[in-house]
Amino acid sequence: MKNIKNLLGRNYLKLCALIALALPIASHAVCGLMDKKVSFADGTSACLNEFSFLNVKGLMKSIPNESYSSKSKSHSSYAIAVTAEPMLCPFEQSMQWDWNGDDGRRAVNSCESKMTAAVQSLGKSTSVQNCKCEILIDNGKSKLTKPEFDQRTKQYERQIALGLKPIQVVEAQMKEQADKEAEVKRIAEAMKREDDRLIAMKERAEKEEAERKKNAPPTVFAMRRALIIGNDSYKYAEPLKNAREDARSMAAELKGFGYEVSLHLDQSQKSMQAALRDFREKVNAGDEVLFYFSGHAVEIDGKNFLTPVDTIGINQNQLADDSIDLKTAVLDPLTTKKVKLTLALVDACRDNPFLKTASTRSTAGSRGLAPTTPATGQLIVYSAGSGQTALDRLGPNDNDKNGVFTRVLLSEMKKNNVPIHQVIRNVRSEVVKLARSIGHDQVPAIYDQVDGDFYFKK
């Protein structure tokens, strides 16, 4: 036992030396004939084929069918330059290959060239601020230790696994940007051509308008007269809320259009007859006449009657006697006067207010006004068609001071150079749309026998 201890003591140092010599030898790789060996700063080595990230084909854009390892087999020297942060830097797999002499310098130059081009395209954003090129392997040697090399190359293995190819993304973005710029240029050129066309059209139109005004005969305006009646305060029927305000608004608007306006509110039968008589006496041949009535109106036996505020309507005959016949009392006398234009606007097609009495319910029309046949030169408009009622409001939250028909009419009348025919049709379209918005049918009735264009505002 003592001899064994002595033997071990004498050979201990030799044994440690052998172990120390054996360790570096074990860390040195034995590579195949065609495989390249990489030497590290810590004295260890490895075969190039051991690094999976170098065995992937397609890493080099110029040679997509060869890996780094296979490429190195045909060259006596090789260098691999990569960027410090491959997941952020904008080039293909962040790698470059070079050979023929000064491999490291050439590899770095190639790497930096692509980085510069990419940064110029993308801009020096936060994600590429730390990008720089470095040498991993130069002529088979690395300045890194084996653990440092392993740690560094894990970044590239992850990048390869994700299938990222930033330089191709850059090129795609450059193409996309070029396409966008080309499209912007095309649109700008098209807009300029359209602007030039519109300018030419405007200049031509202005020239034609100037020529037309130069040669046009002097404009002769006819005398404009308007009779406006608004009845709210009915004694024996349901009072209204908008009629007087509608009449006031219409009178104010027509005065601005050059009409001589006669305004009457809450008219009894006698005062209404007197207003019509006075108006007829003022009207002359060739005048442009407008009659506007807002209030209750009824249809009896195919005739339309405007009701004064004191109409009782106990039976059909009394209702007719106490009311104003629209045709015989208003329209026919104006035809006899040979006026140039008669525009009659009746905002009164509401439910028959006199249906509450038993004697009337079976004899008078239920709602709306009857169709009419205008004389030559007459344009008659009812705020609702036959069998329909006109809306005063568009529901409980409607705070407009005017009824639906009149508010739309007042708006359309203000438009310049629109013929009266078109104004009325515009009014009908808008009233229909507003009424349908609350589930109501109201289509203003238009009876037109006017030849020529007339304007509220020109």
Side-chain angles (χ1 to χ4, degrees):
M1 187 67 173
K2 184 177 180 180
N3 293 333
I4 294 174
K5 289 182 178 180
N6 290 335
L7 179 62
L8 290 174
R10 287 194 301 268
N11 295 311
Y12 177 73
L13 294 176
K14 294 180 179 180
L15 182 60
C16 290
L18 289 173
I19 293 173
L21 289 173
L23 287 175
I25 293 174
S27 63
H28 284 280
V30 178
C31 303
L33 181 62
M34 298 300 294
D35 195 5
K36 300 291 185 179
K37 182 182 291 187
V38 181
S39 299
F40 300 100
D42 57 3
T44 60
S45 64
C47 300
L48 200 61
N49 277 332
E50 293 180 20
F51 304 104
S52 59
F53 81 101
L54 298 178
N55 290 315
V56 178
K57 294 182 179 181
L59 294 182
M60 290 181 294
K61 187 174 180 60
S62 60
I63 311 175
N65 294 321
E66 291 189 82
S67 68
Y68 281 86
S69 296
S70 62
K71 186 67 179 174
S72 68
K73 294 177 182 179
S74 59
H75 297 275
S76 58
S77 63
Y78 51 90
I80 299 173
V82 300
T83 57
E85 298 188 40
M87 296 304 293
L88 300 178
C89 299
F91 3 101
E92 179 191 12
Q93 303 298 3
S94 306
M95 297 181 187
Q96 303 296 324
W97 168 277
D98 203 358
W99 61 89
N100 290 332
D102 193 359
D103 300 308
R105 181 182 60 80
R106 291 175 181 271
V108 168
N109 288 344
S110 178
C111 175
E112 290 180 340
S113 175
K114 284 199 173 184
M115 181 172 68
T116 301
V119 169
Q120 287 177 348
S121 172
L122 295 179
K124 192 68 173 177
S125 63
T126 303
S127 63
V128 298
Q129 285 180 359
N130 297 322
C131 291
K132 62 181 180 180
C133 295
E134 65 177 356
I135 294 293
L136 282 189
I137 304 172
D138 185 6
N139 287 311
K141 295 180 181 181
S142 175
K143 294 181 180 180
L144 303 173
T145 66
K146 181 65 164 60
E148 290 173 339
F149 188 87
D150 289 339
Q151 182 65 29
R152 183 67 56 85
T153 55
K154 285 181 179 179
Q155 299 179 66
Y156 308 115
E157 291 176 350
R158 177 170 177 262
Q159 187 179 25
I160 293 167
L162 292 175
L164 302 177
K165 293 188 178 180
I167 194 64
Q168 294 181 1
V169 173
V170 171
E171 291 175 348
Q173 290 176 338
M174 292 176 65
K175 183 179 184 303
E176 182 181 359
Q177 181 64 26
D179 292 342
K180 287 182 179 180
E181 292 175 355
E183 179 65 12
V184 169
K185 182 178 180 181
R186 185 192 66 79
I187 293 174
E189 291 174 349
M191 291 178 63
K192 185 179 185 304
R193 289 195 298 271
E194 179 65 12
D195 289 343
D196 292 342
R197 186 183 70 85
L198 293 176
I199 291 173
M201 288 179 59
K202 181 180 179 182
E203 291 175 349
R204 184 168 61 252
E206 290 174 348
K207 183 178 180 181
E208 291 174 353
E209 179 66 14
E211 191 69 20
R212 185 187 67 81
K213 288 182 178 180
K214 180 180 178 181
N215 300 321
T219 302
V220 178
F221 293 100
M223 183 64 188
R224 289 181 159 187
R225 303 180 191 276
L227 174 60
I228 311 295
I229 299 175
N231 290 341
D232 267 343
S233 305
Y234 284 88
K235 298 179 181 179
Y236 307 104
E238 180 182 0
L240 300 175
K241 298 179 180 180
N242 301 96
R244 284 182 304 195
E245 191 57 46
D246 287 345
R248 291 191 187 100
S249 298
M250 184 60 65
E253 200 66 44
L254 291 175
K255 287 179 181 178
F257 298 152
Y259 280 84
E260 181 185 279
V261 177
S262 179
L263 173 64
H264 301 272
L265 304 176
D266 285 339
Q267 297 292 285
S268 66
Q269 182 186 34
K270 287 186 178 180
S271 60
M272 197 166 169
Q273 289 173 337
L276 285 165
R277 183 171 57 251
D278 292 343
F279 186 71
R280 288 194 297 266
E281 291 177 357
K282 294 179 182 179
V283 170
N284 298 307
D287 288 350
E288 292 182 9
V289 176
L290 186 148
F291 173 75
Y292 174 88
F293 177 81
S294 182
H296 282 309
V298 295
E299 177 266 319
I300 300 175
D301 293 335
K303 297 180 180 180
N304 296 317
F305 292 87
L306 312 178
T307 60
V309 295
D310 57 351
T311 299
I312 298 177
I314 294 177
N315 54 51
Q316 179 176 344
N317 292 332
Q318 184 180 12
L319 180 59
D321 289 342
D322 290 350
S323 300
I324 305 297
D325 188 322
L326 175 62
K327 184 176 187 301
T328 59
V330 180
L331 300 177
D332 287 350
L334 295 176
T335 302
T336 302
K337 283 275 190 172
K338 297 182 179 180
V339 299
K340 186 178 182 180
L341 168 71
T342 299
L343 176 58
L345 305 170
V346 183
D347 190 1
C349 298
R350 301 175 175 87
D351 287 326
N352 187 333
F354 302 99
L355 287 180
K356 296 179 180 179
T357 60
S359 60
T360 305
R361 185 175 293 115
S362 61
T363 56
S366 60
R367 60 170 55 184
L369 296 178
T372 188
T373 302
T376 301
Q378 291 182 349
L379 175 56
I380 304 170
V381 184
Y382 299 153
S383 58
S386 179
Q388 297 177 341
T389 57
L391 292 170
D392 283 331
R393 296 185 301 166
L394 294 170
N397 297 323
D398 183 359
N399 297 319
D400 197 296
K401 66 180 181 179
N402 297 120
V404 175
F405 172 80
T406 296
R407 76 178 68 164
V408 175
L409 177 60
L410 289 169
S411 175
E412 293 295 328
M413 287 167 60
K414 297 176 183 178
K415 296 180 179 179
N416 289 323
N417 299 318
V418 181
I420 288 178
H421 305 274
Q422 190 59 49
V423 169
I424 298 304
R425 280 158 178 76
N426 292 345
V427 170
R428 177 167 62 184
S429 297
E430 184 63 19
V431 169
V432 169
K433 182 173 69 174
L434 291 174
R436 286 178 179 172
S437 71
I438 61 169
H440 182 78
D441 286 330
Q442 179 180 344
V443 183
I446 302 173
Y447 307 97
D448 188 356
Q449 196 63 29
V450 173
D451 183 26
D453 287 334
F454 296 86
Y455 299 84
F456 283 115
K457 189 175 181 181
K458 188 174 176 63

PDB file of all heavy atoms in Angstrom, residues 397-415:
ATOM      1  N   ASN A 397     -89.884  66.551 -31.964  1.00  0.00           N
ATOM      2  CA  ASN A 397     -88.638  67.297 -31.731  1.00  0.00           C
ATOM      3  C   ASN A 397     -88.334  68.316 -32.825  1.00  0.00           C
ATOM      4  O   ASN A 397     -87.261  68.908 -32.838  1.00  0.00           O
ATOM      5  CB  ASN A 397     -87.467  66.319 -31.598  1.00  0.00           C
ATOM      6  CG  ASN A 397     -87.605  65.396 -30.407  1.00  0.00           C
ATOM      7  OD1 ASN A 397     -88.088  65.817 -29.358  1.00  0.00           O
ATOM      8  ND2 ASN A 397     -87.208  64.150 -30.565  1.00  0.00           N
ATOM      9  N   ASP A 398     -89.274  68.498 -33.744  1.00  0.00           N
ATOM     10  CA  ASP A 398     -89.086  69.454 -34.835  1.00  0.00           C
ATOM     11  C   ASP A 398     -89.501  70.839 -34.341  1.00  0.00           C
ATOM     12  O   ASP A 398     -90.673  71.102 -34.105  1.00  0.00           O
ATOM     13  CB  ASP A 398     -89.932  69.031 -36.042  1.00  0.00           C
ATOM     14  CG  ASP A 398     -89.722  69.939 -37.244  1.00  0.00           C
ATOM     15  OD1 ASP A 398     -88.939  70.912 -37.126  1.00  0.00           O
ATOM     16  OD2 ASP A 398     -90.337  69.676 -38.295  1.00  0.00           O
ATOM     17  N   ASN A 399     -88.547  71.730 -34.198  1.00  0.00           N
ATOM     18  CA  ASN A 399     -88.817  73.073 -33.678  1.00  0.00           C
ATOM     19  C   ASN A 399     -88.808  74.148 -34.757  1.00  0.00           C
ATOM     20  O   ASN A 399     -88.775  75.345 -34.430  1.00  0.00           O
ATOM     21  CB  ASN A 399     -87.779  73.421 -32.602  1.00  0.00           C
ATOM     22  CG  ASN A 399     -87.867  72.497 -31.398  1.00  0.00           C
ATOM     23  OD1 ASN A 399     -88.965  72.161 -30.953  1.00  0.00           O
ATOM     24  ND2 ASN A 399     -86.716  72.089 -30.876  1.00  0.00           N
ATOM     25  N   ASP A 400     -88.825  73.750 -36.007  1.00  0.00           N
ATOM     26  CA  ASP A 400     -88.838  74.736 -37.085  1.00  0.00           C
ATOM     27  C   ASP A 400     -90.141  75.526 -37.029  1.00  0.00           C
ATOM     28  O   ASP A 400     -91.223  74.973 -36.795  1.00  0.00           O
ATOM     29  CB  ASP A 400     -88.700  74.035 -38.439  1.00  0.00           C
ATOM     30  CG  ASP A 400     -88.298  75.000 -39.540  1.00  0.00           C
ATOM     31  OD1 ASP A 400     -89.085  75.912 -39.854  1.00  0.00           O
ATOM     32  OD2 ASP A 400     -87.197  74.829 -40.099  1.00  0.00           O
ATOM     33  N   LYS A 401     -90.057  76.816 -37.234  1.00  0.00           N
ATOM     34  CA  LYS A 401     -91.246  77.668 -37.121  1.00  0.00           C
ATOM     35  C   LYS A 401     -92.187  77.514 -38.310  1.00  0.00           C
ATOM     36  O   LYS A 401     -93.338  77.956 -38.241  1.00  0.00           O
ATOM     37  CB  LYS A 401     -90.823  79.124 -36.972  1.00  0.00           C
ATOM     38  CG  LYS A 401     -90.126  79.695 -38.204  1.00  0.00           C
ATOM     39  CD  LYS A 401     -89.727  81.139 -37.976  1.00  0.00           C
ATOM     40  CE  LYS A 401     -89.052  81.729 -39.225  1.00  0.00           C
ATOM     41  NZ  LYS A 401     -88.677  83.150 -39.025  1.00  0.00           N
ATOM     42  N   ASN A 402     -91.726  76.941 -39.401  1.00  0.00           N
ATOM     43  CA  ASN A 402     -92.537  76.793 -40.603  1.00  0.00           C
ATOM     44  C   ASN A 402     -92.932  75.342 -40.835  1.00  0.00           C
ATOM     45  O   ASN A 402     -92.239  74.422 -40.407  1.00  0.00           O
ATOM     46  CB  ASN A 402     -91.783  77.298 -41.835  1.00  0.00           C
ATOM     47  CG  ASN A 402     -91.470  78.776 -41.757  1.00  0.00           C
ATOM     48  OD1 ASN A 402     -90.323  79.185 -41.779  1.00  0.00           O
ATOM     49  ND2 ASN A 402     -92.502  79.598 -41.653  1.00  0.00           N
ATOM     50  N   GLY A 403     -94.068  75.160 -41.539  1.00  0.00           N
ATOM     51  CA  GLY A 403     -94.476  73.823 -41.941  1.00  0.00           C
ATOM     52  C   GLY A 403     -93.492  73.239 -42.940  1.00  0.00           C
ATOM     53  O   GLY A 403     -92.670  73.957 -43.529  1.00  0.00           O
ATOM     54  N   VAL A 404     -93.587  71.914 -43.162  1.00  0.00           N
ATOM     55  CA  VAL A 404     -92.595  71.218 -43.975  1.00  0.00           C
ATOM     56  C   VAL A 404     -92.572  71.749 -45.410  1.00  0.00           C
ATOM     57  O   VAL A 404     -91.516  72.058 -45.964  1.00  0.00           O
ATOM     58  CB  VAL A 404     -92.864  69.700 -43.957  1.00  0.00           C
ATOM     59  CG1 VAL A 404     -91.908  68.977 -44.906  1.00  0.00           C
ATOM     60  CG2 VAL A 404     -92.713  69.159 -42.543  1.00  0.00           C
ATOM     61  N   PHE A 405     -93.736  71.860 -46.043  1.00  0.00           N
ATOM     62  CA  PHE A 405     -93.789  72.319 -47.432  1.00  0.00           C
ATOM     63  C   PHE A 405     -93.229  73.730 -47.573  1.00  0.00           C
ATOM     64  O   PHE A 405     -92.392  74.014 -48.434  1.00  0.00           O
ATOM     65  CB  PHE A 405     -95.229  72.272 -47.937  1.00  0.00           C
ATOM     66  CG  PHE A 405     -95.431  72.894 -49.293  1.00  0.00           C
ATOM     67  CD1 PHE A 405     -95.108  72.199 -50.451  1.00  0.00           C
ATOM     68  CD2 PHE A 405     -95.934  74.182 -49.420  1.00  0.00           C
ATOM     69  CE1 PHE A 405     -95.277  72.781 -51.706  1.00  0.00           C
ATOM     70  CE2 PHE A 405     -96.120  74.762 -50.666  1.00  0.00           C
ATOM     71  CZ  PHE A 405     -95.787  74.060 -51.807  1.00  0.00           C
ATOM     72  N   THR A 406     -93.672  74.639 -46.697  1.00  0.00           N
ATOM     73  CA  THR A 406     -93.276  76.034 -46.833  1.00  0.00           C
ATOM     74  C   THR A 406     -91.797  76.234 -46.520  1.00  0.00           C
ATOM     75  O   THR A 406     -91.110  77.019 -47.183  1.00  0.00           O
ATOM     76  CB  THR A 406     -94.141  76.923 -45.925  1.00  0.00           C
ATOM     77  OG1 THR A 406     -95.504  76.838 -46.368  1.00  0.00           O
ATOM     78  CG2 THR A 406     -93.679  78.369 -45.970  1.00  0.00           C
ATOM     79  N   ARG A 407     -91.266  75.506 -45.527  1.00  0.00           N
ATOM     80  CA  ARG A 407     -89.841  75.686 -45.206  1.00  0.00           C
ATOM     81  C   ARG A 407     -88.960  75.261 -46.379  1.00  0.00           C
ATOM     82  O   ARG A 407     -87.940  75.888 -46.657  1.00  0.00           O
ATOM     83  CB  ARG A 407     -89.478  74.913 -43.937  1.00  0.00           C
ATOM     84  CG  ARG A 407     -89.347  73.413 -44.117  1.00  0.00           C
ATOM     85  CD  ARG A 407     -88.945  72.685 -42.863  1.00  0.00           C
ATOM     86  NE  ARG A 407     -89.976  72.713 -41.841  1.00  0.00           N
ATOM     87  CZ  ARG A 407     -89.992  71.899 -40.786  1.00  0.00           C
ATOM     88  NH1 ARG A 407     -89.009  71.019 -40.612  1.00  0.00           N
ATOM     89  NH2 ARG A 407     -90.958  71.959 -39.903  1.00  0.00           N
ATOM     90  N   VAL A 408     -89.360  74.174 -47.066  1.00  0.00           N
ATOM     91  CA  VAL A 408     -88.592  73.728 -48.222  1.00  0.00           C
ATOM     92  C   VAL A 408     -88.734  74.731 -49.368  1.00  0.00           C
ATOM     93  O   VAL A 408     -87.762  75.069 -50.045  1.00  0.00           O
ATOM     94  CB  VAL A 408     -89.046  72.326 -48.665  1.00  0.00           C
ATOM     95  CG1 VAL A 408     -88.331  71.910 -49.951  1.00  0.00           C
ATOM     96  CG2 VAL A 408     -88.784  71.308 -47.565  1.00  0.00           C
ATOM     97  N   LEU A 409     -89.938  75.230 -49.575  1.00  0.00           N
ATOM     98  CA  LEU A 409     -90.180  76.210 -50.639  1.00  0.00           C
ATOM     99  C   LEU A 409     -89.360  77.471 -50.418  1.00  0.00           C
ATOM    100  O   LEU A 409     -88.740  78.003 -51.350  1.00  0.00           O
ATOM    101  CB  LEU A 409     -91.671  76.545 -50.693  1.00  0.00           C
ATOM    102  CG  LEU A 409     -92.092  77.611 -51.711  1.00  0.00           C
ATOM    103  CD1 LEU A 409     -91.729  77.189 -53.124  1.00  0.00           C
ATOM    104  CD2 LEU A 409     -93.590  77.891 -51.596  1.00  0.00           C
ATOM    105  N   LEU A 410     -89.325  77.960 -49.184  1.00  0.00           N
ATOM    106  CA  LEU A 410     -88.556  79.167 -48.885  1.00  0.00           C
ATOM    107  C   LEU A 410     -87.076  78.972 -49.193  1.00  0.00           C
ATOM    108  O   LEU A 410     -86.393  79.881 -49.670  1.00  0.00           O
ATOM    109  CB  LEU A 410     -88.732  79.536 -47.410  1.00  0.00           C
ATOM    110  CG  LEU A 410     -90.108  80.075 -47.013  1.00  0.00           C
ATOM    111  CD1 LEU A 410     -90.227  80.139 -45.491  1.00  0.00           C
ATOM    112  CD2 LEU A 410     -90.366  81.437 -47.627  1.00  0.00           C
ATOM    113  N   SER A 411     -86.575  77.770 -48.918  1.00  0.00           N
ATOM    114  CA  SER A 411     -85.162  77.479 -49.185  1.00  0.00           C
ATOM    115  C   SER A 411     -84.871  77.425 -50.680  1.00  0.00           C
ATOM    116  O   SER A 411     -83.874  77.996 -51.153  1.00  0.00           O
ATOM    117  CB  SER A 411     -84.777  76.154 -48.524  1.00  0.00           C
ATOM    118  OG  SER A 411     -83.463  75.789 -48.846  1.00  0.00           O
ATOM    119  N   GLU A 412     -85.729  76.757 -51.429  1.00  0.00           N
ATOM    120  CA  GLU A 412     -85.492  76.606 -52.869  1.00  0.00           C
ATOM    121  C   GLU A 412     -85.678  77.917 -53.626  1.00  0.00           C
ATOM    122  O   GLU A 412     -85.020  78.159 -54.642  1.00  0.00           O
ATOM    123  CB  GLU A 412     -86.426  75.534 -53.442  1.00  0.00           C
ATOM    124  CG  GLU A 412     -86.156  74.114 -52.945  1.00  0.00           C
ATOM    125  CD  GLU A 412     -84.804  73.601 -53.388  1.00  0.00           C
ATOM    126  OE1 GLU A 412     -84.342  73.994 -54.478  1.00  0.00           O
ATOM    127  OE2 GLU A 412     -84.191  72.811 -52.638  1.00  0.00           O
ATOM    128  N   MET A 413     -86.560  78.772 -53.147  1.00  0.00           N
ATOM    129  CA  MET A 413     -86.810  80.051 -53.822  1.00  0.00           C
ATOM    130  C   MET A 413     -85.571  80.943 -53.844  1.00  0.00           C
ATOM    131  O   MET A 413     -85.425  81.801 -54.715  1.00  0.00           O
ATOM    132  CB  MET A 413     -87.954  80.800 -53.122  1.00  0.00           C
ATOM    133  CG  MET A 413     -89.340  80.214 -53.351  1.00  0.00           C
ATOM    134  SD  MET A 413     -90.558  80.902 -52.202  1.00  0.00           S
ATOM    135  CE  MET A 413     -90.478  82.633 -52.598  1.00  0.00           C
ATOM    136  N   LYS A 414     -84.676  80.766 -52.890  1.00  0.00           N
ATOM    137  CA  LYS A 414     -83.526  81.646 -52.750  1.00  0.00           C
ATOM    138  C   LYS A 414     -82.426  81.362 -53.768  1.00  0.00           C
ATOM    139  O   LYS A 414     -81.474  82.132 -53.870  1.00  0.00           O
ATOM    140  CB  LYS A 414     -82.952  81.527 -51.344  1.00  0.00           C
ATOM    141  CG  LYS A 414     -83.913  81.965 -50.257  1.00  0.00           C
ATOM    142  CD  LYS A 414     -83.317  81.721 -48.878  1.00  0.00           C
ATOM    143  CE  LYS A 414     -84.306  82.098 -47.781  1.00  0.00           C
ATOM    144  NZ  LYS A 414     -83.762  81.830 -46.434  1.00  0.00           N
ATOM    145  N   LYS A 415     -82.528  80.262 -54.486  1.00  0.00           N
ATOM    146  CA  LYS A 415     -81.459  79.875 -55.404  1.00  0.00           C
ATOM    147  C   LYS A 415     -81.503  80.717 -56.681  1.00  0.00           C
ATOM    148  O   LYS A 415     -82.569  80.921 -57.271  1.00  0.00           O
ATOM    149  CB  LYS A 415     -81.577  78.394 -55.744  1.00  0.00           C
ATOM    150  CG  LYS A 415     -81.379  77.495 -54.530  1.00  0.00           C
ATOM    151  CD  LYS A 415     -81.495  76.032 -54.874  1.00  0.00           C
ATOM    152  CE  LYS A 415     -81.258  75.158 -53.650  1.00  0.00           C
ATOM    153  NZ  LYS A 415     -81.398  73.714 -53.959  1.00  0.00           N
TER     154      LYS A 415
END
